[in-house]
Amino acid sequence: MKELRILMAGGLTQDKFEKKIKELEEILKKENITPVITTVNTYEQKDLSSFEESNDMVLAMGTLNIESELPVINGMGLMYGWMDRNKMIEEILNIEIKN
């Protein structure tokens, strides 16, 4: 399995982050990817530059415009079951992993 380091960013509680992490792990396991996920609450910290070197991508868990040198993927499909997750998964699979 390849390892993908994901910064999950949004205005979520830690409990909500934990639920979404489990969902994402299950999705990516089927794609032979082991996610290593770091979370950041964007209400508490807006500058994500300190996380850029240790992650491969940002998964935006809200509508906030996230600025980062890393690829930013819309994670709203993970937030709401009625939204299409396929585009999100496809974008994650196309991320170039640093290492």
Side-chain angles (χ1 to χ4, degrees):
M1 283 196 166
K2 68 180 183 179
E3 187 175 277
L4 180 64
R5 295 168 298 172
I6 300 170
L7 177 60
M8 188 179 280
L12 306 178
T13 64
Q14 196 56 42
D15 287 343
K16 187 77 166 181
F17 272 128
E18 297 291 330
K19 290 177 187 174
K20 297 305 165 188
I21 288 170
K22 287 181 184 173
E23 288 179 44
L24 187 59
E25 286 173 338
E26 288 176 23
I27 291 168
L28 294 180
K29 185 177 179 182
K30 294 175 187 173
E31 302 295 339
N32 207 28
I33 295 174
T34 302
V36 176
I37 302 172
T38 304
T39 61
V40 63
N41 185 312
T42 52
Y43 289 128
E44 297 170 4
Q45 183 165 357
K46 298 218 184 295
D47 181 8
L48 304 181
S49 60
S50 63
F51 297 96
E52 289 177 345
E53 192 164 319
S54 60
N55 287 285
D56 299 306
M57 60 163 281
V58 176
L59 188 62
M61 303 300 290
T63 58
L64 182 67
N65 183 24
I66 294 179
E67 294 183 22
S68 175
E69 291 187 15
L70 297 172
V72 179
I73 294 176
N74 183 331
M76 294 302 280
L78 193 60
M79 293 293 295
Y80 302 104
W82 50 268
M83 294 184 86
D84 185 17
R85 291 182 175 185
N86 293 332
K87 183 177 183 208
M88 176 191 73
I89 295 166
E90 183 180 318
E91 289 180 16
I92 291 172
L93 295 177
N94 288 322
I95 292 295
E96 186 175 321
I97 297 175
K98 302 184 250 179
N99 252 84

